[in-house]
Every structure is written in C-alpha cells, then in structure tokens.
Amino acid sequence: MAEERRQKLCSVILPTESMKAMAESVGVGSLQEDSCLALSEEVSYRIKEIAQDALKFMHHGKRRKLTTGDIDHALKLKNVEPLYGFQSQEFIPFRFASGGGRELHFYEEKEVDLSDIINTPLPRVPLDVSLKAHWLSIDGVQPAIPENPPPVPKEQQKTDSTEPLKAVKPGQEEEGSIQTKGQGASSAEVKGSSAKMVPLKMRMKPRSTHELSVEQQLYYKEITEACVGSCEAKRAVCVCNKCYLFLFQVRVNVVQNNLALLIYLMRMVKALMDNPTLYLEKYLHELIPAVVTCIVSKQLCLRPDVDNHWALRDFAARLMAQSCKTFSTTTNNIQSRITKTFTKALLDDKTQWTTRYGCIAGLAELGHDVIKTLIIPRLSVEGARIKAVMDGPVVSNIDKIGADHVQSLLLKHCASVVAKTRPLPDMVDQYKVDYGYLGTMLCSHVVKARAQAAFQAQTVNRTTLTITQPRPTLSVSQSGLSTSSGSRAPSIIKVPSSLTLMSTRPGTPTQPSPPATKYIVMATSAGAASTQQVRSVLHIHRVHMIVHSKVISVPRILIATPGLISPNIKVFKYTFILQ
Amino acid sequence: MAAVQDGPMELDTEKETKPEILSDGTSKLSGNAASGTLSSSPLTAGGAPKQEDQQTLIAVLQFLRRNKLSESVEILRREAGLEDQEDSQTLDGSGGGKGDRDGGEANSLLSRVSITSAAAPQSTLTPITVKRANEQLDVSVVLSAYSQQGDPSLYQVYYSGLKNFIESVLDCHRAELSQLFYPLFVHMYLELVYNNHENEAKAFFEKFGGDQECYYQDDLRVLCGLTKKEHLKGNEVLLDFRTSRFVLRISRDSYQLLKRHLQERHNNQIWNIIQEHLYIDIFDGMPRSKSQIDSMSGSFAGEARREVNKVKVFHGLLKEPEIEVPLDDEEDEAENEEGKPKKKKTKKDSMGSKSKKQDPNAPQQNRIPLPELKDSDKLDKIMYMKESTKRIRLGPENLPSICFYSFLNAYQGLTAVDFTDDSSLLAGGFADSTVRIWSVTPKKLRKVKSAGELNLIDKESDDVLERIMDEKTASESKILCGHSGPVYSVSFSPDRNYLLSSSEDGTVRLWSLQTFTCLVGYKGHNYPVWDTHFSPFGYYFVSGGHDRVARLWATDHYQPLRIFAGHLADVTCTRFHPNSNYVATGSTDRTIRLWDVLNGNCVRIFTGHKGPVHSLAFSPNGKFLASGSTDGRVLLWDIGHGLMIGELKGHTDTIYALKFSRDGEILASGSMDNTVRLWDSTKAFDDVETDDFTAATGHIHLPDNSQELLLGTYHSKSTPVTHLHFTRRNLLLAAGGYSSQ
C-alpha cells in the first residue's frame, strides 16, 4: 500500500528529450543539457499546476473526464492564452513517428482546404437539449421501466449473496429494501442473510398496499401478458426482470387452479434457470416453494379427473431435480431438504394420490441412487396400495386414475433402475416375490427397458422430458381456463387444428388456434421402427423464450398420448415458434 | 491573493452602500476585506485590532497608490485619519506590476506590510492568542522564517526520531500525536525546498511521504511537484499552508509528553516548527481516539479552533411575518365563497401553532433588513400554505416518490440545475454558456410585450397582468444567452421573477423571467464563479468563486455588500440559512464556514471532509447543516453547538446535490455515481447525544450507522444527479444530464 502510494506520488518530470524536441519545434536548434534539465523541471511543474486547476473545472462541470476545454480554462486562470485547435473529442489521435534514434508522438494537424469545407454539405443539425421525466421511485420502490437501469449485474449479486458478511456494498441495502417492500414477510430471510448482522428493523408493508399500487398492477399485467402472450420482444424485456412476480403468480394460480398458467410459469422458471446471466441463488427461497407446490399440490386444476396435471407435476419435478443439481451446496442443502420433504409425504398413509404421485416423481427425478434407496424398497407397499384401489370396491374415479398414474410412474422409473441393477435373467416369479403386486408388470417393463436401452440412447434427446401416459389423457392445450381478470387465457401452445385429432377424449374441445398465429411444422418421421415399441405419439413442443435477448430453447416437453391412436402413426416432432 | 487585490477596488463603493442597508460593522468589514482576511478580529482579537486595521489600511493605501488611484487614496486617508508618515516609503514594485497573479509583486507588497507591522509585537510565539488576521499579512515573514535552517541532512533524522518516539508512546497518546506527522512533514519539506536543498527535499519526501494519512494524498501530490523555491511563490495552496497555522487539537497529557521528549532530545528544529507554524489547541481530559481524530481532520489547515465555533448563532427561523395576511385572506375567501368551515379550521390551527411558537434561537426579526412582501408574494404564501396541508408526511415507512428529469442530448454539458420553490420552472446551466429555462407545468413561458405594444394596453382592466404577456412567444423553454463561459450555477429568486446564473467568465448575471433578458451582470469575482444562491427572502444573494471569497450582494447594488474572506481555497458552494441571517460556504480547502451576514464574521468552521465540499443543505428548521464532498460522504452538522453529528457513507463519487424534505425527516443526496440515496435524518439527529462534555470539547463520537440510516438507493441509467428538490408536497424531483457513454 505504502509502496503503491509512494510510487504514485513520486514526482515525475518530463524527459529532457522532450524539451529538445519542443525547442526544435519552435526553432531553437541546440539546447544545452543543463538548460534542458532546468526547463523540464519547470515545465513539469507548470503542467501539473495547470492539470490541477483543470481538474477543478472538471469537477464543477460535473464530469468524470477531463476535457481540453478544462485545460483551456485553467490556462485562462493563469493568464495564458488557451491552446486552440484541440476539441474535446472522445479520442485525440496522436501520431507516432521515429527517426534518427528519436521517437515522437504528435498531434497531426491537417491542412484544410477552405473550399472543401464550404462545399461539403452541412452536417445534420444536432438534436436540441430536451427534458424527459420518469419515475425513479414510487413510494420507495423503483419501477422496472426502460428508463431505469436493469437490476444489479450478476457478478455483484453473486458476491453480495455469497459473501454477505463482507462490507456491505452500495446497492445491496437497496436490494434488500426493495424486496422488503415487494415481498413482505418472505424478504425477512433475504435481509437477514445478506444485510449483515445488524439488528434488523423490519419495514413491513401490508401486502395490500403493494398490490394496489397502480404501477404494480400495470406491471403485473404487463408481465403476465408478456409471459403468456405471444410477443417475443416484450417477453425479452420483462421475463428477466423480476422472478418474484412469477412466484407470486404461482400462488395465485394454484389457488385458482389455473393449470395452463401454472405450466407457463413452470416453463418460465425453467427459462430463468437456464439463463446464464441471471443469478438465481438469491431467489431460490422463492422459487423452490413454488415449484414444490406444483409437484405435490393436492389439486392443481379444476377437473382433476380429466386435466393433465400429471404432466405439470412431472415437469416441475424435473425442474426441481435440475435446481437441486445446480444450486445445492453444502450450506443450503437443498437436495437433502427436498428429499426429506418428499419422503415424509410418501410415507404418510393419508397422502392423496396426487401428492403421492408428485412425491414419487420428485424423488425419481433426483436420480438413480434416490430411486434405488427410497423408492424401490417401497415398491411392494405402494403396490399393495394400488392393488387395493384397482381391485377393491369401486371408489371414486379420481382415486383410480391417481393410482393408475402412480403405478405407471413407478414402473417407468423403477424399470430402468432395476434393469441396471438387477442381474439377468428377469424371472416374473422372482419379481413378484421381491416387489409384490407390481412385480409382474415391472418385470415386463424391465425386459422392455433392457431392449430399449440402445434405441433410447440414439433417439431421445437428453434434455427432453418424456411423460409417458399409460392411457389417453388430455394435452395441455386443452385446459384453457380463464385468468383472474376474467378474459380468456391465451394459450402458449397453439395446437394446429390438424393435431386436434390426437386429442382422444371426446367432449373436451380443443382451443382452435387463432389464425394469426404462425407456427412451423418441422420434421416428420423419426424412425418407423421405434413407433412400434413406443406406441405413443410424441408432441414435441419447443418453446423459444428470449431472455435477456439470448435465445434459450427451453422447456421442451414431450407430451405423449399413446393408446387409442393407431400405433403406426409416426413420431412427429413439431416445433412451434411462438410469434 | 486575488482577494487581496480585488478587495480595495470595491472599498469606496462599499462604504457608500453599506449604511443604507446595515448600520454597523462597516469599517471593520472594509478593513478586513481589504486585507483578504477572516473578519474575526473585532470579536476575538483583543487589544490588537486597531493596530491591525492600521496596518491593513496602509497596505491598501500602497496598493491604491501603485495603481495610481490617487483620489481613492485621498478619501481613504481622510476617512481613516492616517498621517502622512507612510509617504516616505517608496513603491519599488510599481514598475513591474502588470499581471494580477504576479507573485513577486504581491510579495513585495506584503513584505512592506510586514515591515510596518514589525513594530507591533507579533504574537507568533504565544500560539494561543494568535489571530488569523495577523497571519495573513506576513507572507514573506513566514517564508523567511525558513531561513533559520538546520542541517538539511539531519531533517530525516529529526523526523524519524519523532516518528520513533510517537510510535513508542502509549496507544492513547499515539493517535493524538500522530496528528503532528502531516504538518511537520509539510513544513520540513517546504523548509528544505525554500533553502534550495532540492535533493534532500526529494529524499525526505520519498522516505516519509508514504507514511501520511491517505486523505492528505491530494495535497501531497501538489507538494511533490514543488521542488524549487520559485515554485513556492506562485503556489497559493502552499502559501496558505504557510500563512495559516495548522491547528491541532491535543490533550494536555499528550502535549506534555511531546514537549518533554523534544526538550530532552534538544530537537530544536521540530520544536521551532511546532512553535511557529502549528497551533496546538490543548484541552484537558481524555485523549481522543483515532476515529475521533480522523473524523475531524483532513482540511488544509487542520481542525477548527474551538473558540471559533463558540460564537452564538441564531439558527432559529424567523417568525412568519405574513401570518396575519393569509388569515385575513382566508376569511375573505370564506366570506366570498362560503368555504367549508372544516378546511378553514385546520388551516387556522396550523398557522396558529406556528405563530405561537417563539423560537428562542431565532434572530431578531429585523436583524437583517428584509424586503417587504409584495401582494404577489402574499398570494404565493397562501398557495404555499394550501399546498403544505396536502403534504405527505415522510419517514422511514413512507419514502418519497422520485421523479427524475433527464436532460437528453446535452452534449453541451449540463453543469447546473435549479427548480423554483413551487416546482413550476426548471433552469439548466450548460457548458456552452447558455441558460435554459423549462416550464414543467402545462403553463407555457411567455414574454412581456414590447414597450410599444404595452402602450396600447388598457391599464385599468382587471386582467392587465394577463394582457401584458405576449402569446406569440409562448413556448415550453427559453434560452438565455449572455455568459461567455460555462454556467456553473443557477438560482431562482423565491418570487420566480428572477434567475441568477454564475459562470466561468467571472460574472453573476441576473435575468428577468418576465422579459427573458439579462438585467445585471455583477462583476467582482474576476475568476470563475462556482456558485450563487438567492436568499430565501429574495433581494440578497451570495456568490463564491475561484478567488476564494464569497460575496454577498443585493440585487439592486452593483457592488457586493459583504465579502466573506477566509477560505484557503476556492469557494465551491454557497447556501443561505433559512432565516437569511447566515451564509454557509463550502470550499476546496475541505472546510465549511458559516458567515454572519450582519457583520461579515465567520461564526463557524466545520472540518472533517476529506475532499472539496460540493454541496450544502440546511435543514428546514435551520438547526442542522448537511454537506457533501468529492469523497462521497455526507456530513451532518449541528449549527448551534458547532459539532459534527453524523457521517453518511454510501456514495462512491462526488455528491453534487443535497436536499432535506420539507419537514426535514428525509435527507436526499444525489451523486456523480448515478444514484439518489435517501437517509433517515430524523434518526441521525436523534441518535446523537449531546451532553455537556461533548458539546464543550467538541469530541463527538460518531456512531457508524450509515447503513441503518440509509433508507433507499435508486440508480439512474448513467445519469449523474445534479440537483434535487422537494416539491411543497414532498415529492422528490431529481435532475441530471444523461450521458450516453
């Protein structure tokens, strides 16, 4: 430190060569070494003096850059004539020349032909100074409008949240206070974790006032529109800004059982996670409850018997697994906490089928190890439970569907694990002994899984989420429910009319796609051989979301509706580019 | 330097103008102004002032004579009653005097002054009674003090001897004695330079320059460039360092320790410097801690002396003189339109409480003659009352909304902004010498018609005020051209009829907002005028500039009424106290001074900033002052006690704008770092416990609670915040020039 300072303060003087060059430029040929030395000291001192004065002008001009104008004013203070011909450009090009063992930097003064100047067309008149007003803050909260800067850069967010005990940086406090305003109770943790160990004086604002602020309402509307609507540009602006609003939406929509919107929101969360420029760690406490809700909630839609909320659960489960993978650290222990939550719910006898399904899905997505240690041992118990529903007296249809789903889910996930862990041969009886009711089916699945292994490796994309449905259910696009505002929710996935054929259940109308919607249908067959085995039609929806002007191709959901459709229909791959 | 030469020019006119406005303090002021000193002598200088005055007058006379202003010489001599004894002194410097900045000339002048003052026993050896007024005079005396040199090669030994000693003393004394390092270092270095020991000086600097506190770095940078005796003459900063004694505040115990050490070691070199160039303010009691010392130090001339801040300051607000007026009007109004009784009642209450409140700290109503209220002013007051009933009460729970005015395409460089009090007009000063005025309400700006057209108007009609306006000129903005250099500040008059602007060209201009023309150019500063500010009651205004003085003007006087001299460097910002009796100035010398308008005395010196002070704001109740500087810190001051009471850290660049909310609960600060920050000023003021001891000694221990006081940070998009303003309803307006890079 001291070294550094000393170096900075060390008096620097111009080299005597400069003096000689300057002397030559004004016509003094031979300058003695002594006079050069004396001159250079004097000149250096004067230059410093002028620079110091010029700095004053810079400060009063409220600028960060010293301009040539400042130097002129400083010269004027000293009763010296200003230097003409230098403008305050961003960049003053100095030319370099060397010769005779000397090096010289100089400012090239071109000869200008007056007639050239006269003949050149006049440049455009510069825009006049104008005044523009915008809201920097409304009741202490900075609105996210283009006039205001985007949120704090990721690096700073990272340092802020990973090193909360470090000296509080400017802006961090604000981060906390904004959230306090925006999020009410939940921000307590944020502040607590990031804003040092100072005695916290919470500034709680009743949520109602927050929601009622007109700007916030507008913002909410805008965000919803941008997310759900079809304008890419808008989405680009809005999606990135705040994720807490989405999570707020999740809560709203869970309450309202708006399946379609929930699916969008989950996709959005995925998009957020995939966005490398966002630093989500800070919002995990907001994100995870929302996602978990979507996995294990008892009811996610109005008509649980017909709507495909299972797909949502699967997708959310996968999302959960992904966030565990990305964000779990030794300090936050996300994975173990999540696992604990799921297991607890799974072990509870009273858990509903929907929740049970969610728990299993959530656990299954966490990887083979989890399946092996937590699910496979439970197979026989679950099998018995499923059997009780399937074979028992006629209970509600919902339970039956639920049991059915759980069964297929278990089979699907366990099969691959069992296939890997269990040595050949696959004996049905042995399976029955080991896994109870599900043994038989598991066995056949395992056999299939072993056979499919090779095929799957080549066809199924790693990032695709495959939801295999044992029986025909509805695709996502059919659940167009009204939003809170009462208007019809625009669907993200515009299903072209030709595809409605695949909707197998009669009586549930598919939403006709608006004529303006553009979509491109790409690729057709993906191998005839596979269709026989998969027995399913895959709709591959690829949703492009632009986040921070980066195209991220994210939730790619394969919704399989196997069953009634003739098995020789080829696998289609549709890419919808939402416009 | 500049003040020395500018002062006398105005002397005569000043004498004429002053009696009209202010009745006392005239001669004192003129005398002091002429010598460019702080005008504290009448209050504190004891027996010396008469002699001093005489000396300064002689100096002035010589100056006048040299400039062949014989008439003035005559008048001054007659008035001052001086004998002709001075005539014998020849004017050796008269031949060479052409440039204002000729250091040699100033020196010769001052050396003559010091000759004449040699008769008066200079009290330099008894530090406690020394007054600034003396010190300012004898530049050459101070410089020549360096002639009694020791062995240059021993300087390093001396210094490191002291350093070792200070490092070895007990911790409690070490912090206090460490204060000695910087002034000793500077003086020893200058001594070496003065005696032409260039190499020793360099070596000395190299060796110990790095040990100095980091906040002195700017000064050290100036210092290190200074290696020749000739440089000393021209350099004002260093000249100030010589002429003003560096003030240190040290406890008695520590001082005794130091004294004993120096005497034992016979370290006369250092002892001499301490005796001659430092002013050690000894106090009884506990030595101060390092943080206490650091919070107060950093200025060019050390801390403020305690006794400087002991003068009583009437910081209370004036009684609203027009209280009866709105009451009457209110009644009229009620009679006229059957106003709702409830509304009327509340207003009466609010005004009643105001009138009952008699602030014991308030100055006399007529301490400073204030302009009488015009009818339009009364109307405006009523508007103000009405608006203030709708005011939002701010607090930590209830932050203000901020409306940001960005200046787009301001390639001319926005340098200053001001809002009118009612937030209807906005003025911007630009580096291209123009001033632009915008109307931020739908009401457009209109000029008054030309004289010929005005003749045709029926002057008896009711709407004559409307008729005189020329509709053809209506526009949202107007440009005022007249300055010949960047406009560094603009200030609206409270009645919105005038605008002041100060510029690099050395003038302050008064513009009419009726005709949008320039009315007066106030000349006097000669060097760039950094800031100007209208009094809250109009009529008076204050300006401060590169010539290191602040001037008080009245709009109808061509010459300044007061010259506030004492700052050691540029006066960068000026503000009127809400009661108009005081003026605060901030300076590049990192101090803030409070001046009494009545007699021109400096009544407060606040030290503690580590960089030039660029913004000031009085709290609406007049008790507190906030100041912001290039170091990014806001300091809060208690005017009554003369104490620093708070430090707000958070900004990362120069703070150019400070403003208290209308009720004083929130302090808003705007900075070059593109942020507006809001601070809980109520809490900041409440947290400070000012018991008798701290009040008496000024050793305040500041709580480090900036983060708790910070209520919000709002980033703008690469737009430095140049100005902040609270509307009458407590909406915060901010303004700045958007820079595209």
Side-chain angles (χ1 to χ4, degrees), chain A residues 132-418:
Chain A
K132 188 169 187 296
H134 73 269
W135 289 106
L136 187 67
S137 145
I138 295 162
D139 291 333
V141 183
Q142 190 160 26
I145 47 174
E147 286 87 352
N148 286 330
V152 201
K154 198 181 174 190
E155 296 73 40
Q156 202 191 330
Q157 291 180 36
K158 182 163 184 180
T159 47
D160 283 357
S161 55
T162 51
E163 298 169 60
L165 289 179
K166 238 175 121 179
V168 181
K169 292 210 175 66
Q172 187 185 353
E173 178 72 16
E174 163 244 357
E175 205 59 43
S177 65
I178 283 186
Q179 283 191 1
T180 312
K181 292 280 175 308
Q183 279 299 309
S186 56
S187 66
E189 320 154 34
V190 181
K191 243 198 121 145
S193 63
S194 66
K196 279 199 344 190
M197 301 300 199
V198 291
L200 284 179
K201 190 190 157 212
M202 291 305 302
R203 290 193 296 267
M204 302 275 273
K205 230 182 175 185
R207 169 164 286 167
S208 56
T209 47
H210 175 69
E211 286 164 27
L212 285 179
S213 131
V214 179
E215 284 77 12
Q216 289 286 353
Q217 274 179 21
L218 279 175
Y219 182 51
Y220 175 81
K221 208 179 133 208
E222 193 79 2
I223 282 271
T224 318
E225 237 175 62
C227 302
V228 178
S230 50
C231 174
E232 283 286 354
K234 258 194 201 163
R235 198 190 307 260
V237 177
C238 295
V239 166
C240 57
N241 271 346
K242 302 276 171 195
C243 41
Y244 67 80
L245 262 173
F246 304 152
L247 312 159
F248 179 59
Q249 280 188 317
V250 167
R251 282 175 220 163
V252 171
N253 286 308
V254 167
V255 174
Q256 290 174 345
N257 290 326
N258 190 339
L259 183 62
L261 269 180
L262 282 174
I263 290 173
Y264 296 137
L265 290 169
M266 282 303 110
R267 288 181 181 184
M268 211 160 300
V269 171
K270 171 107 165 86
L272 286 169
M273 278 186 185
D274 289 352
N275 187 338
T277 56
L278 285 179
Y279 190 74
L280 275 187
E281 270 85 338
K282 275 177 132 171
Y283 304 99
L284 276 184
H285 64 279
E286 307 274 10
L287 279 170
I288 289 178
V291 176
V292 172
T293 306
C294 285
I295 301 174
V296 299
S297 175
K298 274 186 225 160
Q299 196 178 3
L300 287 169
C301 50
L302 284 177
R303 295 163 301 171
D305 49 340
V306 287
D307 286 345
N308 188 0
H309 57 93
W310 312 106
L312 172 64
R313 290 177 200 277
D314 281 339
F315 181 60
R318 170 152 278 234
L319 208 60
M320 192 63 242
Q322 189 198 343
S323 53
C324 281
K325 223 180 283 163
T326 352
F327 300 118
S328 189
T329 61
T330 48
T331 41
N332 61 16
N333 252 338
I334 294 174
Q335 176 147 357
S336 68
R337 280 155 70 184
I338 292 293
T339 317
K340 223 176 273 173
T341 316
F342 286 148
T343 321
K344 208 174 146 200
L346 193 60
L347 292 178
D348 190 351
D349 278 345
K350 292 188 187 85
T351 314
Q352 294 213 359
W353 283 110
T354 44
T355 309
R356 191 170 295 277
Y357 180 89
C359 292
I360 296 169
L363 286 173
E365 293 294 348
L366 289 174
H368 285 179
D369 287 344
V370 179
I371 296 176
K372 206 166 97 185
T373 51
L374 291 173
I375 300 181
I376 291 182
R378 300 259 321 152
L379 267 181
S380 49
V381 184
E382 295 298 326
R385 206 192 299 273
I386 292 165
K387 194 177 176 217
V389 175
M390 291 296 198
D391 303 346
V394 180
V395 277
S396 75
N397 194 29
I398 296 177
D399 275 353
K400 204 160 177 188
I401 296 171
D404 199 5
H405 275 285
V406 170
Q407 180 186 326
S408 55
L409 180 77
L410 282 172
L411 290 176
K412 186 186 92 185
H413 285 296
C414 296
S416 58
V417 178
V418 173

Side-chain angles (χ1 to χ4, degrees), chain A residues 1-13 37-39 41-46 48-49 52-65 69-70 72-74 76-79 90 125-143 145-150 152 156 167-175 177-178 181 191 195-196 198-199 201-205, chain B residues 99-101 198 202 205-214 217 220-222 224-228 230-232 234-236 396-412 414-416 426 430 436 438 440 479 484-486 488 504-505 527-528 530 546 570-572 588 614 630 650 652-654 656 672-674 676-677 707-708 710-717 720 722 731 734 741:
Chain A
M1 188 71 188
E3 272 310 302
E4 199 180 69
R5 202 183 304 151
R6 204 170 297 176
Q7 195 145 27
K8 240 194 274 173
L9 288 175
C10 206
S11 53
V12 183
I13 51 172
L37 200 68
L39 266 177
E41 278 179 15
E42 179 67 15
V43 167
S44 308
Y45 173 72
R46 296 296 163 200
K48 280 178 198 168
E49 214 176 26
Q52 276 155 12
D53 277 342
L55 274 178
K56 274 185 197 168
F57 286 93
M58 180 191 80
H59 277 303
H60 285 281
K62 303 187 168 75
R63 278 174 279 113
R64 279 201 201 83
K65 260 182 207 149
D70 293 331
D72 284 348
H73 289 308
K76 219 172 125 188
L77 274 190
K78 303 245 173 270
N79 258 337
E90 268 305 290
V125 179
L127 292 168
D128 198 14
V129 182
S130 62
L131 201 59
K132 188 169 187 296
H134 73 269
W135 289 106
L136 187 67
S137 145
I138 295 162
D139 291 333
V141 183
Q142 190 160 26
I145 47 174
E147 286 87 352
N148 286 330
V152 201
Q156 202 191 330
V168 181
K169 292 210 175 66
Q172 187 185 353
E173 178 72 16
E174 163 244 357
E175 205 59 43
S177 65
I178 283 186
K181 292 280 175 308
K191 243 198 121 145
K196 279 199 344 190
V198 291
K201 190 190 157 212
M202 291 305 302
R203 290 193 296 267
M204 302 275 273
K205 230 182 175 185
Chain B
D100 271 344
R101 298 250 135 193
E198 201 182 317
K202 273 183 187 162
F205 193 96
E206 293 261 315
K207 187 153 184 206
F208 300 111
D211 297 345
Q212 308 305 326
E213 297 280 358
C214 51
Q217 213 172 330
L220 291 181
R221 204 169 291 137
V222 177
C224 74
L226 207 120
T227 48
K228 296 232 182 300
E230 299 81 58
H231 296 163
L232 280 183
N235 194 307
E236 293 148 29
E397 314 291 325
N398 201 7
L399 296 177
S401 298
I402 307 170
C403 182
F404 201 104
Y405 287 91
S406 311
F407 288 77
L408 305 176
N409 313 317
Y411 2 71
Q412 296 93 334
L414 179 73
T415 44
L426 169 67
F430 293 86
R436 286 159 193 259
W438 279 268
V440 292
I479 303 180
S484 59
Y488 288 121
E504 186 269 341
D505 61 13
Y527 291 100
W530 299 131
H546 176 74
D570 303 31
V571 177
T572 50
T588 312
H614 271 279
T630 51
T652 53
D653 210 331
T654 312
Y656 282 115
M672 198 67 191
D673 64 10
N674 303 344
V676 174
R677 281 169 205 258
Q707 287 308 320
E708 289 165 51
L710 181 63
L711 298 177
T713 306
Y714 305 98
H715 291 265
S716 69
K717 219 174 188 177
T722 316
L731 172 72
Q741 300 104 30

Side-chain angles (χ1 to χ4, degrees), chain B residues 300-312:
Chain B
F300 273 8
E303 297 180 39
R305 294 157 200 229
R306 273 176 300 163
E307 72 268 11
V308 176
N309 289 342
K310 289 285 175 262
V311 189
K312 175 151 175 68

